[in-house]
Structures are given as C-alpha cells and as structure tokens.
Amino acid sequence: MKEYDVIIIGGGHAGTEASLASARCGSNTLLVTQNFHTIGQMSCNPSIGGIGKGHLTKEVDALGGVMARAADAAGIHFRTLNKKKGPAVWATRSQADRDLYKTFIQKEIRSQEHLNVLDGEVIDIIIKDNTVTGIELVNGSILKAKNVILTAGTFLSGMIHIGNKSFSAGRIGEDASNKLSKRMKALDLMMGRLKTGTPPRLNGDTINYSQLIEQPGDKPRPVFSFMGNAADHPEQINCYIARTNEKTHDHIKKSLKNSPLFNGVITGKGPRYCPSIEDKVTRFTEKNSHQIFLEPEGLKTNLVYPNGISTSLPEEDQEAFIRTIQGLENVKIEKYGYAIEYDFFDPRGLTSFLENKKIAGFFMAGQINGTTGYEEAASQGIVAGINASLKSQGKEMWSPARENSYIGVMIDDLITQGAPEPYRMFTSRAEHRLYLREDNADERLTAIGFKLGSVNKKRFDIFNNKQNLIKKEIVSLKEFKFIENNKSVSAFDFLKRPNNSYESLKEFASNYNFTDQEIGKNCATRIKYEGYIVRQNNEVIRSKRDEEMKLPKKINYSLITALSKEARENLSLAKPENLRQASRIPGVTPAAISILKVQIKAIKNNEKEMAQNAK
C-alpha cells in the first residue's frame, strides 16, 4: 500500500498535462495507465492547433505545459490559419510526426521530478464519506491518494463500430475500461453517451499526388511554444488537398443502410463541427463536393490521414467511395475508419476547479467531460493537475476566468451549459477575443502559473525579460517621429492604422533602431488593439461586481416560482457558484438574474436576523 498526493488515471493528453502540472507544483504524483508505451499517443489526426485550438495550446504552454513544445519538436508542417482576418483570431496549426510527438511526451514524463508512472488498470475509485481516499487496481492493489484525477478519454465502456461490426475497445487495439465504468455508474453521477470517429488511414505510396493540390507550409514558419524557435522543428513536408465528387456521394448514400450512424446502432451524439462524411452528404445536400486534406502521419511512415472523411461505413464501402476521389483511384487502405461510443460525465456536476461537486478530491478532465480534441483535453488536464496539487497542499485552488483565457471560456461553458454534444473550442465562443490572442497568452497566464507553481523560475525570468523588452520598445515607438506627408508622425501612431505593420514601418523610418521581429510584431498588435481592450476592460470591471455575487449553496431553485420551469430545472442541475455562471445557463434570462439577486438579498437578511436573534 502506497500513498500519493495526486493520482491521475489515463495517459492521454489530459492525463499527461495533469500529471506533469501536479508534479511541477511539488506534489507526489502517480500516473496510472494501461501501457506506458501509449502515453502521448495521438489516436486521431496527428495535428495540434487550429482555430480556437491554437489559442488553447498557447495558453497551456504559458502555464508551463508540454503540448506546444512537443508540437514544435514533432511538427512537420506548420501554418497560421485566419491570416486574412485580424491578429486576434490568427491560429497556429502543425501537422506532427506521430512517433516524434509521443517520444517527446514520454521523455518529459520520465524526467519529471515528483512523478511516477504505473502500468495497470484501475477498477475502482475508493470513496469514504463523499471524499476520495484512493484507487483499486485490477490485481487487488490499493493505492491511497489525497486527490484523484480521472482522464479516461473514450475508454469508459468504449464501443467501436465499423459497419455492422461492433466490439468493446477504448480505441482501436486497446481494451475499454468496462469495470471502472460500471463502478462510476454506481456512484449515481450524471452520465451520458457521446460518439466520435476517425477516417481510414491511407498508404501514401498508392496516392497519385500529381492529381492533387499541393499545400506547402508557411514561410517563415510559425512556432508554437513561447520557449521555442523554428530550429526546434524537424524536416518539413507538404500536405495535399483532394475533393469528393457526386460519384463519391452516390456511393455513400447507397451505403447508409449499413452505417451504424443511420441504422440506429449508435445512439450517442457526435461532434457537430467535425461530422462524418455520411453526415456531410446528408446534411449538406446542396454541396456536390467536400474538401479533404491529405496529411502525412510522419517522416518515416507512408501512412496518410485523410482529414475530412471520418466514417463508420463497412470496410468494403469505405474502399468503394474513397476510390472515386481523384488521385485516390488506386489507393490502398491500411487501417479502416471507425466510430466510437463512450461514457462521459455531465460537466455540470463539476466546480470551476474541475472537482466533482459530490465527491471531494475527485477531479475530472478531458473527453470524459464532453469535449472533443487534444487541445481541449490538455487544457482541462493542466487545470485539474494544478488544482489537485494545490488542494493536496491545503492551498486555495484556481479557476481561469472567461475574460482572461480561452481555457476559462471552455470550463465556464462546460460547467454551466453541459455538453449536449461534443464540445469544441472556437474563437467565437469568447466575448473578449480581441484581448485573448495567441501572441499574449504568456502575458495573460505565465505570472499566474509561476504563482501557482506550474511555471518554473527559469521560464518566468525569460518571460519577464520579454515583457521588459516590449515595454521598452513601446516607449521607443512613442518617442520616435518621422515626416509623412509633411507632418510629424510617431511610430506608435503609425502602427495604430489598420494596414500598417512593424515590417512596413521600415519603409518610412529606415533610421529607426528596430528590435527583434517577434517583439516588434507583438508591440504592433498591442498598439492596434489598445483602444478596444481599454473599453473591454472597463466593461468587465462594470459587470464584475454583480457577476461575482455568490449564490448560497442551500438555495432551493425549485421553490422560486417566479423563475421559468426551464430555469429552475437547469439551475438545480448546474448549481452555479455565482451570478456570472448562472447567467450562462440555458433558460436563465436577465429577468431571472434580477430574481436571483432578490433571493440572495433575502437569504442574507434572513441569516443576519437569525444571527441577531441567537445573541
């Protein structure tokens, strides 16, 4: 029998970030996984980032996490998405070498102080008086823990579907955690069923690339980690674009009777923003073509990931429709696509610290909270790891705020609105996205991470040096003036204009002492958004006072008849901590918030009166 401060169950993206964060914060940490060699495995597309997801990756990095550094070490194709729009929504994305990524993560796990790893299957989480005390392994071993983080991904009662074939698995080739799932159901927690899927893997040697559109990476290449540079990247290769056609769609439509998505076998809700090809051809009937990104899985493999044709059709139907696509007429399928259904927990049962409301010391992170994607999982993992460590040390826990991070937006969305379908991050979900940019994620979160213990002194010193350089450059830009159209203009005012960049300043002020290009770009972006952000911050300050009003735990929403039935039911389910959380719950209108303010005041007055009578 051993005892740990924090035990993490599951070695996926949530589990690795949780275990590393807990250990960095100084807690005696154990990561339990079925097989060490699968830690850091990219079970779907080997890519990191994208719209909204790149922001999350940068924020995890700013808090000291590993995902961005692994993406830099393994990235074989880098692009910045949304470049036609403003810098606030620019999004970094990298295609990774699957093996290089996994190797980097495993090396980090092995070298992390205060972190141990155990191969084993967890069959029970031991709970006494509604508090976690440890876990039980399949061999009967008991491990004590002050806190436990569950990051089981798709493994809880995972069921894979390929056409009419269905079998139990956490992902292809790995056993599902059926015993643990059964135990979780016995705890009477809010649970449901979701679905996700993956496309077939193609043999790149059998693809006719001359018939496809070549998609090179960006030059200069973007870098993910604030600690990284382009020299960290391995060899770079191209991706390619193909398209489905009407013949492809006809094949798919004829096969729908064999699709578990359409014949009633799959009941779990799938991701709206990453639909299967079956969904696409039935939901978007006006389109006679859909884009497919052919993305290599690594430098030493011929496997290619066809992003955009996730499917659970029978194997013979997958071959038939794929070979109707130009360039793929003679393609060989190495691994068939499949759908997977799995148990998840309604995230409305969690606090903003990702701790279960019913069971003290029991944290949950990742896909089991109803999210989809590596980046969403990693973001939850680092928050759960930090908080489990803080709790084990008797310190105050931390919840990221909506106005300060996309991680805060995601967690707030989950715990107030639940996950009626797999949740994916988009920049449009954030009210303050002009401030929540990729380039300033460190400015927003690194000092917080240092205070919490997840960011080390070396990294914090590098961050402080960068901030000092930015401040110094802003002063220089204000002081430097040049003549434009017979008028004196400061470099600072020049950069305020929408189409002017730090690079274009060189054309007008060649004698200016230019700093590092990245520092200069950061300054230019700050200057452009300065006015908007000041207004945004003022709005936040004005609304924060009311939003932070605490809702008493003993409030009985079902008795507040002035609220609508929908509001009463959803408030009772979510049990929000404050008015800000309550305002985001479906059915809770501004009028309902006013009613809740009256209730808070009435309860406080009643408590004050009782205290006076007791005297």
Side-chain angles (χ1 to χ4, degrees), residues 469-481 490-492 502 505 512-515 523 527:
L469 289 173
I470 289 170
K471 288 176 185 175
K472 184 179 177 181
E473 182 64 9
I474 293 284
V475 171
S476 295
L477 290 167
K478 286 180 177 178
E479 291 176 349
F480 184 84
K481 297 196 171 48
S490 72
F492 185 91
Y502 193 74
L505 179 62
Y512 179 71
N513 185 21
F514 288 91
T515 186
C523 291
I527 290 166

CSV table of all heavy atoms in Angstrom, one decimal, residues 469-481 490-492 502 505 512-515 523 527:
chain,number,residue,atom,x,y,z
A,469,LEU,N,11.4,44.0,-22.6
A,469,LEU,CA,11.7,44.4,-24.0
A,469,LEU,C,10.5,45.1,-24.7
A,469,LEU,O,10.7,46.0,-25.4
A,469,LEU,CB,12.2,43.2,-24.8
A,469,LEU,CG,13.6,42.7,-24.4
A,469,LEU,CD1,13.9,41.4,-25.1
A,469,LEU,CD2,14.7,43.7,-24.6
A,470,ILE,N,9.3,44.5,-24.5
A,470,ILE,CA,8.1,45.0,-25.1
A,470,ILE,C,7.8,46.4,-24.6
A,470,ILE,O,7.6,47.4,-25.3
A,470,ILE,CB,6.9,44.1,-24.9
A,470,ILE,CG1,7.1,42.8,-25.7
A,470,ILE,CG2,5.6,44.8,-25.2
A,470,ILE,CD1,6.1,41.7,-25.4
A,471,LYS,N,7.9,46.6,-23.2
A,471,LYS,CA,7.7,47.9,-22.6
A,471,LYS,C,8.7,48.9,-23.2
A,471,LYS,O,8.3,50.1,-23.5
A,471,LYS,CB,7.8,47.8,-21.1
A,471,LYS,CG,6.6,47.0,-20.5
A,471,LYS,CD,6.8,46.9,-19.0
A,471,LYS,CE,5.7,46.0,-18.4
A,471,LYS,NZ,6.0,45.8,-16.9
A,472,LYS,N,9.9,48.5,-23.2
A,472,LYS,CA,11.0,49.4,-23.7
A,472,LYS,C,10.7,49.8,-25.2
A,472,LYS,O,10.9,51.0,-25.6
A,472,LYS,CB,12.3,48.7,-23.6
A,472,LYS,CG,13.5,49.6,-24.0
A,472,LYS,CD,14.8,48.9,-23.8
A,472,LYS,CE,16.0,49.7,-24.2
A,472,LYS,NZ,17.3,49.0,-24.1
A,473,GLU,N,10.3,48.9,-26.0
A,473,GLU,CA,10.0,49.1,-27.4
A,473,GLU,C,8.8,50.1,-27.6
A,473,GLU,O,8.8,50.9,-28.4
A,473,GLU,CB,9.8,47.8,-28.2
A,473,GLU,CG,9.6,48.0,-29.7
A,473,GLU,CD,10.8,48.6,-30.4
A,473,GLU,OE1,11.9,48.8,-29.8
A,473,GLU,OE2,10.6,48.9,-31.6
A,474,ILE,N,7.8,49.9,-26.8
A,474,ILE,CA,6.6,50.7,-26.8
A,474,ILE,C,7.0,52.2,-26.6
A,474,ILE,O,6.5,53.1,-27.3
A,474,ILE,CB,5.5,50.3,-25.8
A,474,ILE,CG1,4.9,48.9,-26.2
A,474,ILE,CG2,4.4,51.3,-25.7
A,474,ILE,CD1,4.0,48.9,-27.3
A,475,VAL,N,7.8,52.4,-25.6
A,475,VAL,CA,8.3,53.8,-25.2
A,475,VAL,C,9.1,54.3,-26.4
A,475,VAL,O,8.9,55.5,-26.8
A,475,VAL,CB,9.2,53.7,-24.0
A,475,VAL,CG1,9.9,55.1,-23.8
A,475,VAL,CG2,8.4,53.4,-22.8
A,476,SER,N,9.9,53.5,-27.0
A,476,SER,CA,10.7,54.0,-28.2
A,476,SER,C,9.8,54.4,-29.4
A,476,SER,O,10.1,55.4,-30.1
A,476,SER,CB,11.7,52.9,-28.6
A,476,SER,OG,12.7,52.6,-27.6
A,477,LEU,N,8.8,53.6,-29.6
A,477,LEU,CA,7.9,53.8,-30.7
A,477,LEU,C,7.1,55.1,-30.5
A,477,LEU,O,6.8,55.9,-31.4
A,477,LEU,CB,6.9,52.7,-30.9
A,477,LEU,CG,7.5,51.4,-31.4
A,477,LEU,CD1,6.6,50.2,-31.2
A,477,LEU,CD2,7.9,51.5,-32.9
A,478,LYS,N,6.8,55.4,-29.2
A,478,LYS,CA,6.1,56.7,-28.9
A,478,LYS,C,7.1,57.9,-29.1
A,478,LYS,O,6.6,59.0,-29.6
A,478,LYS,CB,5.6,56.7,-27.5
A,478,LYS,CG,4.4,55.8,-27.3
A,478,LYS,CD,3.9,55.8,-25.8
A,478,LYS,CE,2.7,55.0,-25.7
A,478,LYS,NZ,2.2,54.9,-24.2
A,479,GLU,N,8.3,57.7,-28.8
A,479,GLU,CA,9.3,58.8,-28.9
A,479,GLU,C,9.8,59.1,-30.3
A,479,GLU,O,10.1,60.2,-30.6
A,479,GLU,CB,10.5,58.5,-27.9
A,479,GLU,CG,10.1,58.5,-26.4
A,479,GLU,CD,11.3,58.2,-25.6
A,479,GLU,OE1,12.3,57.7,-26.1
A,479,GLU,OE2,11.2,58.4,-24.3
A,480,PHE,N,9.9,58.0,-31.1
A,480,PHE,CA,10.5,58.2,-32.4
A,480,PHE,C,9.4,58.8,-33.4
A,480,PHE,O,8.3,58.4,-33.5
A,480,PHE,CB,10.9,56.9,-33.0
A,480,PHE,CG,11.6,57.0,-34.3
A,480,PHE,CD1,12.9,57.3,-34.4
A,480,PHE,CD2,10.9,56.8,-35.5
A,480,PHE,CE1,13.6,57.4,-35.6
A,480,PHE,CE2,11.5,56.9,-36.7
A,480,PHE,CZ,12.9,57.2,-36.8
A,481,LYS,N,9.9,59.9,-34.1
A,481,LYS,CA,9.0,60.6,-35.0
A,481,LYS,C,9.7,60.7,-36.4
A,481,LYS,O,10.9,60.8,-36.5
A,481,LYS,CB,8.6,62.0,-34.5
A,481,LYS,CG,7.8,61.9,-33.2
A,481,LYS,CD,7.1,63.2,-32.9
A,481,LYS,CE,6.1,63.1,-31.7
A,481,LYS,NZ,6.6,62.4,-30.5
A,490,SER,N,4.5,59.9,-35.0
A,490,SER,CA,5.2,59.0,-34.2
A,490,SER,C,5.1,57.6,-34.8
A,490,SER,O,4.0,57.3,-35.4
A,490,SER,CB,4.7,59.0,-32.8
A,490,SER,OG,3.4,58.4,-32.7
A,491,ALA,N,6.1,56.8,-34.6
A,491,ALA,CA,6.0,55.4,-35.0
A,491,ALA,C,4.8,54.7,-34.3
A,491,ALA,O,4.2,53.8,-34.9
A,491,ALA,CB,7.3,54.7,-34.7
A,492,PHE,N,4.5,55.1,-33.1
A,492,PHE,CA,3.4,54.5,-32.3
A,492,PHE,C,2.1,54.8,-33.0
A,492,PHE,O,1.3,53.8,-33.2
A,492,PHE,CB,3.4,55.1,-30.9
A,492,PHE,CG,2.3,54.5,-30.0
A,492,PHE,CD1,2.7,53.5,-29.2
A,492,PHE,CD2,1.1,55.1,-29.9
A,492,PHE,CE1,1.7,52.9,-28.3
A,492,PHE,CE2,0.1,54.5,-29.1
A,492,PHE,CZ,0.4,53.5,-28.3
A,502,TYR,N,4.7,46.3,-38.3
A,502,TYR,CA,6.1,46.6,-37.8
A,502,TYR,C,7.1,46.6,-39.0
A,502,TYR,O,8.0,47.4,-39.1
A,502,TYR,CB,6.5,45.7,-36.7
A,502,TYR,CG,7.7,46.1,-35.9
A,502,TYR,CD1,7.7,47.2,-35.0
A,502,TYR,CD2,8.9,45.5,-36.1
A,502,TYR,CE1,8.8,47.6,-34.3
A,502,TYR,CE2,10.1,45.8,-35.4
A,502,TYR,CZ,10.0,46.9,-34.5
A,502,TYR,OH,11.1,47.3,-33.8
A,505,LEU,N,6.9,49.6,-41.3
A,505,LEU,CA,7.4,50.8,-40.7
A,505,LEU,C,8.8,51.1,-41.2
A,505,LEU,O,9.3,52.2,-41.3
A,505,LEU,CB,7.5,50.6,-39.1
A,505,LEU,CG,8.1,51.8,-38.3
A,505,LEU,CD1,7.3,53.1,-38.5
A,505,LEU,CD2,8.2,51.4,-36.8
A,512,TYR,N,15.2,54.1,-37.9
A,512,TYR,CA,14.8,53.6,-36.5
A,512,TYR,C,15.6,52.4,-36.1
A,512,TYR,O,15.9,51.5,-36.9
A,512,TYR,CB,13.3,53.3,-36.5
A,512,TYR,CG,12.7,52.9,-35.2
A,512,TYR,CD1,12.6,53.8,-34.2
A,512,TYR,CD2,12.3,51.5,-35.0
A,512,TYR,CE1,12.1,53.4,-32.9
A,512,TYR,CE2,11.8,51.1,-33.8
A,512,TYR,CZ,11.7,52.0,-32.7
A,512,TYR,OH,11.2,51.6,-31.5
A,513,ASN,N,15.8,52.3,-34.8
A,513,ASN,CA,16.6,51.2,-34.2
A,513,ASN,C,15.6,50.0,-33.9
A,513,ASN,O,15.1,49.9,-32.8
A,513,ASN,CB,17.3,51.7,-32.9
A,513,ASN,CG,18.2,50.6,-32.4
A,513,ASN,OD1,18.6,49.6,-33.1
A,513,ASN,ND2,18.5,50.6,-31.1
A,514,PHE,N,15.4,49.2,-35.0
A,514,PHE,CA,14.4,48.1,-34.9
A,514,PHE,C,14.9,47.0,-33.9
A,514,PHE,O,16.1,46.7,-33.9
A,514,PHE,CB,14.1,47.6,-36.2
A,514,PHE,CG,13.3,48.5,-37.1
A,514,PHE,CD1,13.9,49.4,-38.0
A,514,PHE,CD2,11.9,48.5,-37.0
A,514,PHE,CE1,13.2,50.2,-38.8
A,514,PHE,CE2,11.2,49.3,-37.8
A,514,PHE,CZ,11.8,50.2,-38.7
A,515,THR,N,13.9,46.5,-33.1
A,515,THR,CA,14.2,45.4,-32.2
A,515,THR,C,14.0,44.1,-32.9
A,515,THR,O,13.7,44.0,-34.1
A,515,THR,CB,13.4,45.6,-30.9
A,515,THR,OG1,13.8,44.6,-30.0
A,515,THR,CG2,11.9,45.4,-31.2
A,523,CYS,N,4.4,44.2,-30.3
A,523,CYS,CA,4.1,45.6,-29.9
A,523,CYS,C,3.1,46.2,-30.9
A,523,CYS,O,2.1,46.9,-30.5
A,523,CYS,CB,5.4,46.5,-30.0
A,523,CYS,SG,6.6,46.1,-28.7
A,527,ILE,N,-0.6,47.8,-29.9
A,527,ILE,CA,-0.9,49.2,-30.2
A,527,ILE,C,-2.3,49.2,-31.0
A,527,ILE,O,-3.1,50.1,-30.7
A,527,ILE,CB,0.2,49.8,-31.0
A,527,ILE,CG1,1.4,50.0,-30.1
A,527,ILE,CG2,-0.2,51.2,-31.6
A,527,ILE,CD1,2.7,50.3,-30.9
